């Protein structure tokens, strides 16, 4: 068992990495579950691209500075989210097309800004994360974002579920429909920004969506999905970090591949709607 | 009046789907809305709920709360939610976003499910229901909404006789409780038998009043004659521009 415990017991950077990853997972997986339930799984990916110019501006202004890049990323993400939502609600264009338009503009802007500074090794950290070098400030930020996310989700849980299950009904009985949608997009942006500190902009979406997709094959209730997704993410964190430590693999992709492996196993063998459930069904009931 | 409509025009891209409609609904009335496809029946209901902004005219609601059953609901039937929790949405006016759903509320949900013939379904996921059962669930939610004005868009379409009869009984229960009900229907015979009042609509109001006097052969013929045409080069409506 020493291979399982020792890396975390002996090295502070491994403990920090584990804490950071668990914090991200706790906040990002419930957001991922709701993205999945709203059929917005690819929205997370688009948003991750939309954040890039903000982080790049922060980097150009202040160098590899956590605060500047975080603020830049949040601002860019929120601007794209608000413009997308506004266009979808007030014009004929649907949300998907509207988001695609704005995130592509944002991405192009980001690439332009990045290339102004020329190629830089530091920038690789933005794209692929620095989970093994999280300092106190970064850990505090990750834990703060996760706390904020969980409290917010707990508060707006009911309107959010209604907005997912029957948006027209929610709009007919209350004024929550718009606010809860924007609040939710805000949480998506915040958690992606938190994720890119550790896993990089491109990998951050993975810890959001893969556990949620895996959970769909295990649970038939929202509560069950949230619990399974958080568990899948936590197991992936430990497995990915250990693989990274023992085999010298880059940690971000190792964590996401661990989550991907759990997703594939769920897809094949989960009790609900999986391949196994389809091709080797259990005996049916009498009524 | 439960509902007072004056000179109401609703439409899409400036083309009217409901044209200069005047309508008064007495409190507690049970009214069927009848007319050919494209007559503006669903459009009228969308205008009444506020989903569609009127091009002209005014709608005055004399009641505090309305409930609406759309023709094509946007319910995501693959959503992992149990029937009981789904029906409990109808309690929103009581509990809002943050209020507690207590034991009494659970009893109300069970009562509503029993009223639509779905006793024992509370824990089933909605994805496991048939089309008819989903419509029963929608009615159970409407029951909990406890609204004074209830708008139903083709509530009995594609239902078997038994389900339609059960849900019609719920509508008659509402009528008995003094609620105002407006329902879009296509089954003229059912309207004659069960709905005291009828609005015959063909973009404009053809007739409104006691069902027997509205659903005459002559009125129905006139409704069918009224064109559904969507004239791209139509002139600006003089009555509207004036």
């Amino acid at each position: 068992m020493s291979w399982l415990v020792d890396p975390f017991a002996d090295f502070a950077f491994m403990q920090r990495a584990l804490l950071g990853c668990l914090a991200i997972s706790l906040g990002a997986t419930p957001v991922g579950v709701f993205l999945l339930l709203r059929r917005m799984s690819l929205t997370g990916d688009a948003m991750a691209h939309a954040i890039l110019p903000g982080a790049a501006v922060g980097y150009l202004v202040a160098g590899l500075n956590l605060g500047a890049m975080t603020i830049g990323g949040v601002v860019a993400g929120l601007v794209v989210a608000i413009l997308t939502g506004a266009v979808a609600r007030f014009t004929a264009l649907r949300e998907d097309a509207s988001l695609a338009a704005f995130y592509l503009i944002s991405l192009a802007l980001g690439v332009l800004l990045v290339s102004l500074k020329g190629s830089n090794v530091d920038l690789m950290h933005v794209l692929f994360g620095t989970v093994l070098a999280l300092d106190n400030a970064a850990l505090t930020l990750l834990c703060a974002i996760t706390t904020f996310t969980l409290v917010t989700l707990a508060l707006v849980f009911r309107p959010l579920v209604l907005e997912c299950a029957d948006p027209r009904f929610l709009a007919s009985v209350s004024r929550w429909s718009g606010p809860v949608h924007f609040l939710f997009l805000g949480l998506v942006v915040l958690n992606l920004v938190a994720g890119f500190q550790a896993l990089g902009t491109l990998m951050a979406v993975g810890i959001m969506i893969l556990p949620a997709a895996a959970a769909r094959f295990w649970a038939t209730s929202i509560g069950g999905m949230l619990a399974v997704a958080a568990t899948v993410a936590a197991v992936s964190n430990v497995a990915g970090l250990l693989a990274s430590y023992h085999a010298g693999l880059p940690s971000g992709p190792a964590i996401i591949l661990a989550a991907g492996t759990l997703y594939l196993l769920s897809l094949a063998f989960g009790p609900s709607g999986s391949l196994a459930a389809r091709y080797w069904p259990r005996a049916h009931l009498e009524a | 009046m439960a509902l007072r409509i004056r000179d109401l025009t609703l439409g899409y891209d400036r083309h009217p789907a409901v044209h200069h409609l005047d309508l008064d609904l007495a409190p507690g009335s049970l009214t069927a809305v009848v007319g050919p496809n494209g007559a503006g029946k669903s459009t009228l209901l969308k205008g009444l709920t506020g989903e569609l902004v009127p091009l002209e005219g005014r709608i005055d609601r004399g009641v505090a709360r309305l409930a609406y059953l759309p023709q094509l609901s946007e319910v995501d039937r693959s959503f992992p939610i149990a029937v009981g929790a789904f029906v409990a949405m109808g309690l929103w006016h009581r509990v809002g976003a943050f209020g507690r759903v207590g034991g009494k509320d659970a009893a109300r949900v069970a009562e509503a499910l029993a009223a639509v013939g779905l006793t024992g379904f509370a824990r089933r996921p909605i994805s496991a229901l048939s089309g008819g059962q989903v419509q029963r669930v929608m009615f159970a939610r409407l029951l909990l909404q406890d609204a004074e004005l209830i708008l139903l868009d083709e509530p009995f379409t594609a239902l078997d006789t038994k389900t339609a009869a059960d849900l019609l009984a719920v509508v008659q229960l509402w009528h008995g409780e003094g609620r105002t009900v407006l329902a879009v229907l296509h089954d003229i015979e059912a309207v004659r038998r069960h709905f005291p009042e009828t609005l015959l609509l063909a973009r404009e109001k053809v007739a409104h009043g006691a069902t027997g006097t509205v659903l005459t052969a002559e009125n129905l013929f006139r409704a069918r004659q009224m064109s559904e045409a969507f004239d791209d080069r139509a002139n600006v409506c003089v009555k509207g521009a004036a």
Side-chain angles (χ1 to χ4, degrees), chain A residues 37 39 155 158-159 161-162 164-169 173-174 176 216 220-222, chain B residues 46 51 68 70 72 74-76 78-80 89 92 95-99 101 141 145:
Chain A
L37 291 177
R39 304 179 190 196
L155 282 176
R158 190 178 291 159
V161 167
L162 258 69
C164 296
D166 192 351
R168 212 165 163 183
F169 177 79
V173 295
S174 80
W176 268 100
R216 196 72 167 100
T220 51
S221 69
I222 303 170
Chain B
K46 282 184 203 163
E51 202 176 307
Y68 169 49
L72 294 172
E74 281 173 22
V75 175
D76 176 1
S78 68
F79 194 84
M89 284 182 195
W92 183 277
V95 298
F98 307 115
V101 180
R141 189 172 72 176
Q145 278 185 269

mmCIF file of all heavy atoms in Angstrom, chain A residues 37 39 155 158-159 161-162 164-169 173-174 176 216 220-222, chain B residues 46 51 68 70 72 74-76 78-80 89 92 95-99 101 141 145:
data_model
loop_
_atom_site.group_PDB
_atom_site.id
_atom_site.type_symbol
_atom_site.label_atom_id
_atom_site.label_comp_id
_atom_site.label_asym_id
_atom_site.label_seq_id
_atom_site.Cartn_x
_atom_site.Cartn_y
_atom_site.Cartn_z
ATOM 1 N N LEU A 37 -27.352 17.925 -17.802
ATOM 2 C CA LEU A 37 -28.806 17.810 -17.773
ATOM 3 C C LEU A 37 -29.480 18.860 -18.649
ATOM 4 O O LEU A 37 -30.582 18.655 -19.136
ATOM 5 C CB LEU A 37 -29.316 17.931 -16.334
ATOM 6 C CG LEU A 37 -28.963 16.753 -15.432
ATOM 7 C CD1 LEU A 37 -29.456 17.006 -14.019
ATOM 8 C CD2 LEU A 37 -29.569 15.470 -15.975
ATOM 9 N N ARG A 39 -28.262 19.747 -21.455
ATOM 10 C CA ARG A 39 -27.733 19.468 -22.804
ATOM 11 C C ARG A 39 -26.796 20.577 -23.248
ATOM 12 O O ARG A 39 -26.836 21.038 -24.388
ATOM 13 C CB ARG A 39 -28.872 19.293 -23.810
ATOM 14 C CG ARG A 39 -29.798 18.209 -23.343
ATOM 15 C CD ARG A 39 -30.942 18.035 -24.286
ATOM 16 N NE ARG A 39 -31.918 17.159 -23.658
ATOM 17 C CZ ARG A 39 -32.880 16.544 -24.268
ATOM 18 N NH1 ARG A 39 -33.025 16.702 -25.552
ATOM 19 N NH2 ARG A 39 -33.705 15.765 -23.641
ATOM 20 N N LEU A 155 -28.479 27.380 -2.652
ATOM 21 C CA LEU A 155 -29.520 28.408 -2.572
ATOM 22 C C LEU A 155 -30.472 28.365 -3.760
ATOM 23 O O LEU A 155 -31.674 28.504 -3.596
ATOM 24 C CB LEU A 155 -28.874 29.802 -2.469
ATOM 25 C CG LEU A 155 -28.331 30.179 -1.096
ATOM 26 C CD1 LEU A 155 -27.625 31.529 -1.156
ATOM 27 C CD2 LEU A 155 -29.462 30.224 -0.070
ATOM 28 N N ARG A 158 -33.612 24.773 -6.310
ATOM 29 C CA ARG A 158 -34.977 24.530 -6.800
ATOM 30 C C ARG A 158 -35.247 25.222 -8.143
ATOM 31 O O ARG A 158 -35.650 24.563 -9.105
ATOM 32 C CB ARG A 158 -35.995 24.934 -5.745
ATOM 33 C CG ARG A 158 -37.408 24.488 -6.083
ATOM 34 C CD ARG A 158 -38.390 24.870 -4.999
ATOM 35 N NE ARG A 158 -38.182 24.124 -3.775
ATOM 36 C CZ ARG A 158 -38.616 24.519 -2.581
ATOM 37 N NH1 ARG A 158 -39.293 25.646 -2.467
ATOM 38 N NH2 ARG A 158 -38.401 23.787 -1.515
ATOM 39 N N PRO A 159 -35.010 26.558 -8.240
ATOM 40 C CA PRO A 159 -35.224 27.183 -9.550
ATOM 41 C C PRO A 159 -34.332 26.600 -10.645
ATOM 42 O O PRO A 159 -34.764 26.501 -11.800
ATOM 43 C CB PRO A 159 -34.901 28.661 -9.309
ATOM 44 C CG PRO A 159 -34.577 28.826 -7.889
ATOM 45 C CD PRO A 159 -34.744 27.545 -7.168
ATOM 46 N N VAL A 161 -33.241 23.473 -10.948
ATOM 47 C CA VAL A 161 -33.801 22.194 -11.395
ATOM 48 C C VAL A 161 -35.018 22.439 -12.285
ATOM 49 O O VAL A 161 -35.182 21.816 -13.344
ATOM 50 C CB VAL A 161 -34.174 21.303 -10.190
ATOM 51 C CG1 VAL A 161 -35.041 20.133 -10.625
ATOM 52 C CG2 VAL A 161 -32.924 20.798 -9.502
ATOM 53 N N LEU A 162 -35.883 23.387 -11.899
ATOM 54 C CA LEU A 162 -37.063 23.700 -12.706
ATOM 55 C C LEU A 162 -36.659 24.246 -14.069
ATOM 56 O O LEU A 162 -37.260 23.909 -15.087
ATOM 57 C CB LEU A 162 -37.947 24.720 -11.984
ATOM 58 C CG LEU A 162 -39.182 24.132 -11.314
ATOM 59 C CD1 LEU A 162 -38.763 23.290 -10.130
ATOM 60 C CD2 LEU A 162 -40.118 25.228 -10.872
ATOM 61 N N CYS A 164 -34.097 23.543 -15.707
ATOM 62 C CA CYS A 164 -33.612 22.430 -16.526
ATOM 63 C C CYS A 164 -34.781 21.553 -16.994
ATOM 64 O O CYS A 164 -34.844 21.156 -18.149
ATOM 65 C CB CYS A 164 -32.646 21.546 -15.743
ATOM 66 S SG CYS A 164 -31.139 22.360 -15.234
ATOM 67 N N ALA A 165 -35.706 21.235 -16.059
ATOM 68 C CA ALA A 165 -36.743 20.246 -16.365
ATOM 69 C C ALA A 165 -37.872 20.842 -17.201
ATOM 70 O O ALA A 165 -38.391 20.180 -18.100
ATOM 71 C CB ALA A 165 -37.303 19.670 -15.069
ATOM 72 N N ASP A 166 -38.273 22.071 -16.914
ATOM 73 C CA ASP A 166 -39.410 22.667 -17.626
ATOM 74 C C ASP A 166 -39.280 24.189 -17.606
ATOM 75 O O ASP A 166 -39.958 24.865 -16.835
ATOM 76 C CB ASP A 166 -40.730 22.215 -16.961
ATOM 77 C CG ASP A 166 -41.937 22.558 -17.828
ATOM 78 O OD1 ASP A 166 -41.767 23.283 -18.828
ATOM 79 O OD2 ASP A 166 -43.047 22.099 -17.505
ATOM 80 N N PRO A 167 -38.403 24.741 -18.458
ATOM 81 C CA PRO A 167 -38.114 26.176 -18.419
ATOM 82 C C PRO A 167 -39.357 27.035 -18.640
ATOM 83 O O PRO A 167 -39.509 28.083 -18.027
ATOM 84 C CB PRO A 167 -37.100 26.378 -19.549
ATOM 85 C CG PRO A 167 -37.136 25.133 -20.362
ATOM 86 C CD PRO A 167 -37.620 24.044 -19.473
ATOM 87 N N ARG A 168 -40.256 26.557 -19.506
ATOM 88 C CA ARG A 168 -41.440 27.356 -19.811
ATOM 89 C C ARG A 168 -42.329 27.497 -18.569
ATOM 90 O O ARG A 168 -42.923 28.539 -18.330
ATOM 91 C CB ARG A 168 -42.212 26.659 -20.923
ATOM 92 C CG ARG A 168 -42.927 27.605 -21.824
ATOM 93 C CD ARG A 168 -43.334 26.855 -23.067
ATOM 94 N NE ARG A 168 -44.350 27.593 -23.773
ATOM 95 C CZ ARG A 168 -44.920 27.138 -24.865
ATOM 96 N NH1 ARG A 168 -44.575 25.962 -25.355
ATOM 97 N NH2 ARG A 168 -45.842 27.840 -25.464
ATOM 98 N N PHE A 169 -42.390 26.422 -17.785
ATOM 99 C CA PHE A 169 -43.196 26.478 -16.572
ATOM 100 C C PHE A 169 -42.607 27.464 -15.582
ATOM 101 O O PHE A 169 -43.316 28.296 -15.013
ATOM 102 C CB PHE A 169 -43.300 25.084 -15.934
ATOM 103 C CG PHE A 169 -44.064 25.084 -14.642
ATOM 104 C CD1 PHE A 169 -45.443 25.123 -14.646
ATOM 105 C CD2 PHE A 169 -43.406 25.069 -13.430
ATOM 106 C CE1 PHE A 169 -46.156 25.153 -13.459
ATOM 107 C CE2 PHE A 169 -44.108 25.102 -12.240
ATOM 108 C CZ PHE A 169 -45.496 25.140 -12.261
ATOM 109 N N VAL A 173 -44.419 30.917 -13.826
ATOM 110 C CA VAL A 173 -44.794 31.112 -12.427
ATOM 111 C C VAL A 173 -43.861 32.067 -11.678
ATOM 112 O O VAL A 173 -44.150 32.433 -10.546
ATOM 113 C CB VAL A 173 -44.857 29.778 -11.631
ATOM 114 C CG1 VAL A 173 -45.959 28.887 -12.164
ATOM 115 C CG2 VAL A 173 -43.523 29.062 -11.638
ATOM 116 N N SER A 174 -42.735 32.441 -12.279
ATOM 117 C CA SER A 174 -41.820 33.309 -11.531
ATOM 118 C C SER A 174 -40.919 34.067 -12.481
ATOM 119 O O SER A 174 -40.919 33.844 -13.684
ATOM 120 C CB SER A 174 -40.948 32.472 -10.596
ATOM 121 O OG SER A 174 -39.886 31.905 -11.326
ATOM 122 N N TRP A 176 -37.656 33.886 -12.097
ATOM 123 C CA TRP A 176 -36.352 33.278 -11.832
ATOM 124 C C TRP A 176 -35.619 32.840 -13.091
ATOM 125 O O TRP A 176 -34.400 32.667 -13.076
ATOM 126 C CB TRP A 176 -36.521 32.060 -10.926
ATOM 127 C CG TRP A 176 -36.390 32.377 -9.473
ATOM 128 C CD1 TRP A 176 -37.415 32.562 -8.591
ATOM 129 C CD2 TRP A 176 -35.184 32.541 -8.725
ATOM 130 N NE1 TRP A 176 -36.907 32.838 -7.354
ATOM 131 C CE2 TRP A 176 -35.549 32.829 -7.395
ATOM 132 C CE3 TRP A 176 -33.834 32.470 -9.052
ATOM 133 C CZ2 TRP A 176 -34.611 33.042 -6.396
ATOM 134 C CZ3 TRP A 176 -32.896 32.688 -8.051
ATOM 135 C CH2 TRP A 176 -33.283 32.979 -6.744
ATOM 136 N N ARG A 216 -24.322 9.581 -15.125
ATOM 137 C CA ARG A 216 -25.599 9.308 -15.794
ATOM 138 C C ARG A 216 -25.868 7.810 -15.887
ATOM 139 O O ARG A 216 -27.024 7.380 -15.907
ATOM 140 C CB ARG A 216 -25.584 9.927 -17.196
ATOM 141 C CG ARG A 216 -26.941 10.050 -17.841
ATOM 142 C CD ARG A 216 -27.742 11.151 -17.152
ATOM 143 N NE ARG A 216 -28.937 11.529 -17.910
ATOM 144 C CZ ARG A 216 -30.161 11.087 -17.619
ATOM 145 N NH1 ARG A 216 -30.341 10.252 -16.630
ATOM 146 N NH2 ARG A 216 -31.192 11.498 -18.331
ATOM 147 N N THR A 220 -30.331 7.545 -11.186
ATOM 148 C CA THR A 220 -31.535 7.987 -11.889
ATOM 149 C C THR A 220 -32.175 9.181 -11.184
ATOM 150 O O THR A 220 -33.286 9.562 -11.509
ATOM 151 C CB THR A 220 -32.565 6.856 -11.991
ATOM 152 O OG1 THR A 220 -32.751 6.317 -10.682
ATOM 153 C CG2 THR A 220 -32.108 5.768 -12.931
ATOM 154 N N SER A 221 -31.471 9.758 -10.200
ATOM 155 C CA SER A 221 -31.976 10.976 -9.565
ATOM 156 C C SER A 221 -30.866 12.020 -9.585
ATOM 157 O O SER A 221 -29.691 11.682 -9.767
ATOM 158 C CB SER A 221 -32.382 10.693 -8.123
ATOM 159 O OG SER A 221 -31.222 10.431 -7.354
ATOM 160 N N ILE A 222 -31.240 13.288 -9.408
ATOM 161 C CA ILE A 222 -30.236 14.353 -9.443
ATOM 162 C C ILE A 222 -29.264 14.197 -8.278
ATOM 163 O O ILE A 222 -28.052 14.291 -8.455
ATOM 164 C CB ILE A 222 -30.909 15.730 -9.364
ATOM 165 C CG1 ILE A 222 -31.914 15.868 -10.505
ATOM 166 C CG2 ILE A 222 -29.886 16.837 -9.468
ATOM 167 C CD1 ILE A 222 -32.781 17.074 -10.367
ATOM 168 N N LYS B 46 -51.029 32.223 -25.827
ATOM 169 C CA LYS B 46 -49.686 32.756 -25.562
ATOM 170 C C LYS B 46 -49.747 34.234 -25.241
ATOM 171 O O LYS B 46 -48.965 34.736 -24.425
ATOM 172 C CB LYS B 46 -48.772 32.540 -26.775
ATOM 173 C CG LYS B 46 -48.243 31.127 -26.890
ATOM 174 C CD LYS B 46 -47.276 31.042 -28.061
ATOM 175 C CE LYS B 46 -47.162 29.618 -28.578
ATOM 176 N NZ LYS B 46 -46.561 29.590 -29.917
ATOM 177 N N GLU B 51 -46.488 35.416 -22.863
ATOM 178 C CA GLU B 51 -45.356 34.870 -23.607
ATOM 179 C C GLU B 51 -45.161 35.643 -24.907
ATOM 180 O O GLU B 51 -44.044 35.798 -25.386
ATOM 181 C CB GLU B 51 -45.653 33.397 -23.889
ATOM 182 C CG GLU B 51 -44.453 32.546 -24.178
ATOM 183 C CD GLU B 51 -44.857 31.091 -24.339
ATOM 184 O OE1 GLU B 51 -45.528 30.541 -23.450
ATOM 185 O OE2 GLU B 51 -44.505 30.501 -25.384
ATOM 186 N N TYR B 68 -51.261 27.547 -17.107
ATOM 187 C CA TYR B 68 -51.270 27.366 -18.557
ATOM 188 C C TYR B 68 -50.699 26.005 -18.907
ATOM 189 O O TYR B 68 -49.614 25.643 -18.436
ATOM 190 C CB TYR B 68 -50.432 28.499 -19.168
ATOM 191 C CG TYR B 68 -50.071 28.379 -20.631
ATOM 192 C CD1 TYR B 68 -51.042 28.070 -21.589
ATOM 193 C CD2 TYR B 68 -48.769 28.602 -21.065
ATOM 194 C CE1 TYR B 68 -50.706 27.998 -22.926
ATOM 195 C CE2 TYR B 68 -48.427 28.531 -22.397
ATOM 196 C CZ TYR B 68 -49.399 28.232 -23.329
ATOM 197 O OH TYR B 68 -49.061 28.151 -24.650
ATOM 198 N N PRO B 70 -49.385 24.278 -22.133
ATOM 199 C CA PRO B 70 -49.114 24.480 -23.557
ATOM 200 C C PRO B 70 -49.375 23.221 -24.378
ATOM 201 O O PRO B 70 -49.390 22.112 -23.840
ATOM 202 C CB PRO B 70 -47.633 24.869 -23.600
ATOM 203 C CG PRO B 70 -47.063 24.521 -22.280
ATOM 204 C CD PRO B 70 -48.168 24.280 -21.317
ATOM 205 N N LEU B 72 -47.453 22.080 -26.955
ATOM 206 C CA LEU B 72 -46.187 21.357 -26.973
ATOM 207 C C LEU B 72 -45.415 21.828 -25.763
ATOM 208 O O LEU B 72 -44.895 22.929 -25.746
ATOM 209 C CB LEU B 72 -45.385 21.695 -28.234
ATOM 210 C CG LEU B 72 -45.994 21.242 -29.551
ATOM 211 C CD1 LEU B 72 -45.193 21.812 -30.704
ATOM 212 C CD2 LEU B 72 -46.014 19.737 -29.624
ATOM 213 N N GLU B 74 -42.355 22.056 -23.071
ATOM 214 C CA GLU B 74 -40.909 21.951 -23.221
ATOM 215 C C GLU B 74 -40.326 21.087 -22.117
ATOM 216 O O GLU B 74 -39.171 21.229 -21.742
ATOM 217 C CB GLU B 74 -40.283 23.344 -23.201
ATOM 218 C CG GLU B 74 -40.429 24.051 -24.525
ATOM 219 C CD GLU B 74 -39.970 25.492 -24.463
ATOM 220 O OE1 GLU B 74 -39.185 25.849 -23.574
ATOM 221 O OE2 GLU B 74 -40.412 26.268 -25.322
ATOM 222 N N VAL B 75 -41.161 20.172 -21.583
ATOM 223 C CA VAL B 75 -40.672 19.297 -20.528
ATOM 224 C C VAL B 75 -39.615 18.357 -21.112
ATOM 225 O O VAL B 75 -39.838 17.726 -22.146
ATOM 226 C CB VAL B 75 -41.819 18.466 -19.939
ATOM 227 C CG1 VAL B 75 -41.285 17.471 -18.931
ATOM 228 C CG2 VAL B 75 -42.840 19.367 -19.301
ATOM 229 N N ASP B 76 -38.449 18.321 -20.455
ATOM 230 C CA ASP B 76 -37.411 17.387 -20.861
ATOM 231 C C ASP B 76 -37.728 16.043 -20.208
ATOM 232 O O ASP B 76 -37.483 15.833 -19.036
ATOM 233 C CB ASP B 76 -36.050 17.917 -20.392
ATOM 234 C CG ASP B 76 -34.918 16.951 -20.688
ATOM 235 O OD1 ASP B 76 -35.203 15.881 -21.283
ATOM 236 O OD2 ASP B 76 -33.783 17.247 -20.339
ATOM 237 N N SER B 78 -36.450 13.215 -20.449
ATOM 238 C CA SER B 78 -35.339 12.350 -20.029
ATOM 239 C C SER B 78 -34.720 12.869 -18.731
ATOM 240 O O SER B 78 -33.780 12.291 -18.201
ATOM 241 C CB SER B 78 -34.278 12.294 -21.128
ATOM 242 O OG SER B 78 -33.656 13.558 -21.247
ATOM 243 N N PHE B 79 -35.249 13.987 -18.204
ATOM 244 C CA PHE B 79 -34.679 14.582 -17.000
ATOM 245 C C PHE B 79 -34.892 13.658 -15.801
ATOM 246 O O PHE B 79 -35.996 13.150 -15.601
ATOM 247 C CB PHE B 79 -35.329 15.943 -16.739
ATOM 248 C CG PHE B 79 -34.590 16.775 -15.735
ATOM 249 C CD1 PHE B 79 -33.513 17.537 -16.124
ATOM 250 C CD2 PHE B 79 -34.955 16.768 -14.405
ATOM 251 C CE1 PHE B 79 -32.823 18.305 -15.202
ATOM 252 C CE2 PHE B 79 -34.268 17.531 -13.473
ATOM 253 C CZ PHE B 79 -33.196 18.300 -13.885
ATOM 254 N N PRO B 80 -33.844 13.418 -14.998
ATOM 255 C CA PRO B 80 -33.970 12.469 -13.886
ATOM 256 C C PRO B 80 -34.725 13.062 -12.707
ATOM 257 O O PRO B 80 -34.136 13.471 -11.731
ATOM 258 C CB PRO B 80 -32.515 12.160 -13.512
ATOM 259 C CG PRO B 80 -31.763 13.379 -13.905
ATOM 260 C CD PRO B 80 -32.466 13.944 -15.104
ATOM 261 N N MET B 89 -43.856 20.952 -8.374
ATOM 262 C CA MET B 89 -43.588 22.265 -8.973
ATOM 263 C C MET B 89 -44.827 23.158 -8.914
ATOM 264 O O MET B 89 -44.718 24.378 -8.827
ATOM 265 C CB MET B 89 -43.248 22.109 -10.463
ATOM 266 C CG MET B 89 -41.892 21.601 -10.773
ATOM 267 S SD MET B 89 -41.777 21.598 -12.591
ATOM 268 C CE MET B 89 -40.355 20.564 -12.795
ATOM 269 N N TRP B 92 -45.323 26.042 -6.430
ATOM 270 C CA TRP B 92 -44.397 27.175 -6.446
ATOM 271 C C TRP B 92 -44.997 28.424 -5.802
ATOM 272 O O TRP B 92 -44.342 29.120 -5.028
ATOM 273 C CB TRP B 92 -43.948 27.478 -7.879
ATOM 274 C CG TRP B 92 -42.955 28.584 -7.942
ATOM 275 C CD1 TRP B 92 -43.224 29.926 -7.938
ATOM 276 C CD2 TRP B 92 -41.526 28.473 -7.953
ATOM 277 N NE1 TRP B 92 -42.056 30.649 -7.964
ATOM 278 C CE2 TRP B 92 -41.005 29.780 -7.975
ATOM 279 C CE3 TRP B 92 -40.637 27.390 -7.965
ATOM 280 C CZ2 TRP B 92 -39.635 30.044 -7.988
ATOM 281 C CZ3 TRP B 92 -39.270 27.660 -7.987
ATOM 282 C CH2 TRP B 92 -38.788 28.964 -8.001
ATOM 283 N N VAL B 95 -44.552 27.873 -2.013
ATOM 284 C CA VAL B 95 -43.234 27.690 -1.395
ATOM 285 C C VAL B 95 -42.143 28.531 -2.048
ATOM 286 O O VAL B 95 -41.107 28.772 -1.429
ATOM 287 C CB VAL B 95 -42.805 26.200 -1.419
ATOM 288 C CG1 VAL B 95 -43.788 25.382 -0.625
ATOM 289 C CG2 VAL B 95 -42.672 25.682 -2.828
ATOM 290 N N GLY B 96 -42.353 29.003 -3.286
ATOM 291 C CA GLY B 96 -41.333 29.815 -3.950
ATOM 292 C C GLY B 96 -40.018 29.067 -4.098
ATOM 293 O O GLY B 96 -39.988 27.831 -4.109
ATOM 294 N N ALA B 97 -38.945 29.832 -4.199
ATOM 295 C CA ALA B 97 -37.636 29.224 -4.439
ATOM 296 C C ALA B 97 -37.036 28.641 -3.165
ATOM 297 O O ALA B 97 -36.239 27.710 -3.216
ATOM 298 C CB ALA B 97 -36.686 30.261 -5.029
ATOM 299 N N PHE B 98 -37.428 29.169 -2.008
ATOM 300 C CA PHE B 98 -36.704 28.808 -0.785
ATOM 301 C C PHE B 98 -37.572 28.152 0.283
ATOM 302 O O PHE B 98 -37.059 27.639 1.257
ATOM 303 C CB PHE B 98 -36.042 30.055 -0.185
ATOM 304 C CG PHE B 98 -35.185 30.801 -1.164
ATOM 305 C CD1 PHE B 98 -35.508 32.089 -1.560
ATOM 306 C CD2 PHE B 98 -34.070 30.202 -1.719
ATOM 307 C CE1 PHE B 98 -34.728 32.776 -2.474
ATOM 308 C CE2 PHE B 98 -33.280 30.874 -2.631
ATOM 309 C CZ PHE B 98 -33.613 32.170 -3.013
ATOM 310 N N GLY B 99 -38.914 28.211 0.123
ATOM 311 C CA GLY B 99 -39.798 27.699 1.168
ATOM 312 C C GLY B 99 -39.684 26.194 1.342
ATOM 313 O O GLY B 99 -39.264 25.460 0.447
ATOM 314 N N VAL B 101 -40.910 22.420 1.670
ATOM 315 C CA VAL B 101 -41.998 21.553 1.216
ATOM 316 C C VAL B 101 -42.221 20.540 2.331
ATOM 317 O O VAL B 101 -41.437 19.616 2.508
ATOM 318 C CB VAL B 101 -41.639 20.853 -0.105
ATOM 319 C CG1 VAL B 101 -42.782 19.948 -0.551
ATOM 320 C CG2 VAL B 101 -41.351 21.883 -1.177
ATOM 321 N N ARG B 141 -50.185 18.716 -11.781
ATOM 322 C CA ARG B 141 -49.457 19.935 -11.461
ATOM 323 C C ARG B 141 -50.385 21.154 -11.543
ATOM 324 O O ARG B 141 -50.334 22.042 -10.692
ATOM 325 C CB ARG B 141 -48.269 20.095 -12.416
ATOM 326 C CG ARG B 141 -47.340 21.211 -12.023
ATOM 327 C CD ARG B 141 -46.086 21.228 -12.844
ATOM 328 N NE ARG B 141 -46.327 21.674 -14.209
ATOM 329 C CZ ARG B 141 -45.349 21.840 -15.109
ATOM 330 N NH1 ARG B 141 -44.101 21.566 -14.787
ATOM 331 N NH2 ARG B 141 -45.630 22.242 -16.320
ATOM 332 N N GLN B 145 -51.530 24.100 -8.754
ATOM 333 C CA GLN B 145 -51.295 25.519 -8.998
ATOM 334 C C GLN B 145 -52.429 26.375 -8.470
ATOM 335 O O GLN B 145 -52.261 27.573 -8.258
ATOM 336 C CB GLN B 145 -51.082 25.786 -10.494
ATOM 337 C CG GLN B 145 -49.661 25.495 -10.928
ATOM 338 C CD GLN B 145 -49.444 25.892 -12.373
ATOM 339 O OE1 GLN B 145 -49.618 25.091 -13.282
ATOM 340 N NE2 GLN B 145 -49.072 27.142 -12.590
#
